[in-house]
Amino acid sequence: MVAGTTAAAATAIEWDADQAVTRLYSEHYRPLVRLAALLVRDHATAEEVVQDAFVAMHGAWRRLRDPNKALSYLRQSVVNRARSVLRHRAVVEKHAPKALPDAPSAEHGALGELERAAVIAALRKLPTRQREAIVLRYYGDLSEAQIADAMGISRGAVKSHTARGIAALRSVLEQTT
């Protein structure tokens, strides 16, 4: 407020601010929201940014040097506030806790452990050659030729031991379930 003005003059200036902001709001609110929405990619946040810009402009109306540049002031305020929102989002995303991967339930883990224990118990009941062939094939992920080399037997014998071992495992595991 300028020194030496009366209370009536101060009220007139405030009324001018109210009228000016009301007129600017009615004419430019939607385009400013569209501008903000393009910047922040969220309509609700864009509305908040524009409303905050209007409130700030109303509060600073007396300090506005050229009231004819009020729309420019609003646009700049909306852009600056949108930048602030984007910076805030970036910080929040940077420090947000990492989501845990979808983990199976505790029951799933317990059942899996029981199944593994049953398979290991069934493997222990197999003859040595069948157990070796199955372990090398399915746990070691070796080919028939590699298994034959490791066990010192022919590929045909590997096929035979593997097939017999799987049949025996299936039989034992079907009896336990």
Side-chain angles (χ1 to χ4, degrees):
M1 215 162 32
V2 179
T5 59
T6 64
T11 308
I13 291 172
E14 287 179 19
W15 179 248
D16 289 340
D18 290 344
Q19 286 179 335
V21 170
T22 302
R23 196 184 78 214
L24 284 168
Y25 186 88
S26 64
E27 292 176 11
H28 299 288
Y29 176 76
R30 289 179 190 240
L32 289 171
V33 169
R34 284 193 297 267
L35 169 67
L38 288 172
L39 295 173
V40 298
R41 299 177 307 273
D42 175 19
H43 188 74
T45 305
E47 286 182 339
E48 287 180 27
V49 163
V50 172
Q51 288 171 6
D52 289 346
F54 273 104
V55 169
M57 188 184 72
H58 185 271
W61 186 259
R62 289 185 205 139
R63 293 188 309 266
L64 196 60
R65 290 185 184 134
D66 186 3
N68 294 327
K69 293 185 179 180
L71 182 58
S72 296
Y73 173 86
L74 274 172
R75 282 192 191 115
Q76 187 63 44
S77 180
V78 166
V79 169
N80 288 340
R81 289 170 191 277
R83 287 179 184 157
S84 179
V85 165
L86 293 174
R87 278 192 302 270
H88 178 72
R89 280 184 190 167
V91 169
V92 167
E93 289 174 8
K94 181 179 178 182
H95 297 294
K98 302 288 186 227
L100 295 175
D102 291 338
S105 66
E107 294 84 13
H108 185 276
L111 290 174
E113 188 60 35
L114 288 173
E115 289 173 357
R116 281 189 290 281
V119 170
I120 290 172
L123 275 171
R124 287 184 179 140
K125 294 179 181 177
L126 293 178
T128 304
R129 293 279 187 174
Q130 290 177 7
R131 184 175 54 245
E132 288 173 355
I134 289 175
V135 168
L136 290 172
R137 177 70 183 114
Y138 296 104
Y139 290 100
D141 200 29
L142 300 178
S143 67
E144 290 176 354
Q146 291 170 325
I147 295 169
D149 286 342
M151 291 178 65
I153 57 176
S154 69
R155 287 180 61 184
V158 169
K159 289 180 187 180
S160 175
H161 288 306
T162 305
R164 288 182 188 152
I166 290 174
L169 277 177
R170 185 175 294 122
S171 173
V172 170
L173 291 174
E174 285 176 354
Q175 290 174 2
T176 61
T177 57

